[in-house]
């Protein structure tokens, strides 16, 4: 389902807070809200991507398929995340399927129409440059982590990031409110399913996590944090 935008929607997104009212109103005219049910696909692999997207609520995952036909997630986007900014340059075939992980509301903004608006509102151009710079820094940081961090620290870091995006605070733990297989976590941490399985098994025995089918509860967030910060003895 697609419906029109309310101006308050963009004001709730930190990156857009500093836009002037004329630029914001022009942006609203080329944007829409998409309401997706969990499991519903936003784009299929190979579809031409013409817009960039902002997660207002819920989340999506980029899906790929192994040689055995089994689906696994390459990346998860949660509330406030932005993806597809390269459509401001030109449309392109998206290499993955994009699927809602639960009921979600997503903002889409047409890239080529935004390109025209930038000529009228240079502040929009600066905004896109800043957002792309954030993506580049995050990419460099991810490569550095993969090259220099021990695998258990990479897995802990992934769980913390997922907690930030999808964590639900319960009485005694943080529940990751998103379907998550060991294969997904292995892809995120750039390791093998076997390594993820061994690591999660150890952490379950130590009371750090509780795992069930495609679900993880974090029982000791502080342990993961100190591990990521390299303060837990090897």
């Amino acid at each position: 389902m697609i419906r029109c935008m309310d101006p308050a929607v963009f004001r709730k997104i930190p990156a857009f807070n500093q836009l002037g009212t004329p630029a914001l109103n022009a942006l609203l005219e080329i944007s829409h809200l998409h309401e997706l049910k969990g499991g519903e696909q936003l784009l299929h692999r190979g579809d031409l991507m013409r817009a960039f997207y902002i997660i207002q609520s819920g989340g999506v995952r980029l899906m790929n398929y192994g040689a055995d036909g089994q689906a696994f997630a390459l990346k998860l986007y949660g509330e406030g995340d932005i993806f597809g900014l390269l459509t401001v340059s030109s449309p392109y075939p998206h290499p993955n399927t994009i699927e809602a992980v639960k009921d979600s509301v997503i903002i889409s903004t047409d890239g080529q129409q935004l390109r025209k608006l930038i000529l009228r509102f240079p502040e929009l151009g600066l905004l896109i440059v800043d957002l792309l710079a954030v993506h580049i820094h995050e990419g460099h940081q991810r490569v550095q982590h993969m090259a220099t961090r021990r695998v258990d620290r990479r897995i802990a870091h992934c769980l913390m990031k997922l907690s930030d995006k999808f964590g639900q605070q319960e009485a005694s733990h943080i529940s990751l409110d998103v379907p998550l297989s060991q294969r997904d976590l292995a892809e995120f941490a750039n390791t093998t399913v076997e390594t993820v399985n061994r690591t999660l098994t150890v952490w379950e025995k130590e009371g750090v996590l509780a795992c069930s089918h495609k679900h993880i509860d974090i029982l000791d967030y502080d342990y993961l944090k100190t591990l990521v910060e390299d303060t837990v003895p090897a």
Side-chain angles (χ1 to χ4, degrees), residues 77-206:
Y77 292 105
E79 185 173 332
D81 284 341
I82 302 172
F83 62 96
L85 287 168
L86 292 179
T87 57
V88 176
S89 175
S90 62
Y92 61 93
H94 200 273
N96 309 112
T97 296
I98 304 176
E99 175 185 289
V101 295
K102 55 182 178 178
D103 291 356
S104 303
V105 178
I106 302 168
I107 302 167
S108 70
T109 301
D110 185 274
Q112 292 304 289
Q113 291 186 53
L114 178 60
R115 187 180 180 88
K116 295 176 182 178
L117 284 185
I118 289 172
L119 298 176
R120 292 169 51 199
F121 304 101
E123 60 190 295
L124 286 172
L126 291 176
L127 172 64
I128 297 302
V129 169
D130 289 342
L131 291 172
L132 286 170
V134 169
H135 281 208
I136 291 170
H137 288 311
E138 289 177 348
H140 287 170
Q141 186 180 55
R142 176 177 170 82
V143 171
Q144 183 181 28
H145 287 176
M146 295 305 176
T148 62
R149 284 191 170 180
R150 212 174 63 195
V151 67
D152 58 341
R153 287 172 166 81
R154 300 204 304 267
I155 295 172
H157 180 75
C158 289
L159 290 172
M160 288 179 63
K161 295 282 285 184
L162 290 169
S163 175
D164 291 342
K165 294 179 186 296
F166 302 103
Q168 298 291 325
Q169 183 65 58
E170 306 291 345
S172 60
H173 64 276
I174 299 172
S175 177
L176 296 185
D177 185 25
V178 60
L180 182 68
S181 70
Q182 291 189 5
R183 186 168 186 171
D184 294 337
L185 193 53
E187 184 69 28
F188 300 155
N190 193 31
T191 187
T192 65
V193 175
E194 291 76 18
T195 299
V196 167
N197 181 269
R198 287 196 301 269
T199 303
L200 297 187
T201 298
V202 169
W203 287 347
E204 277 199 281
K205 291 178 179 178
E206 294 177 347

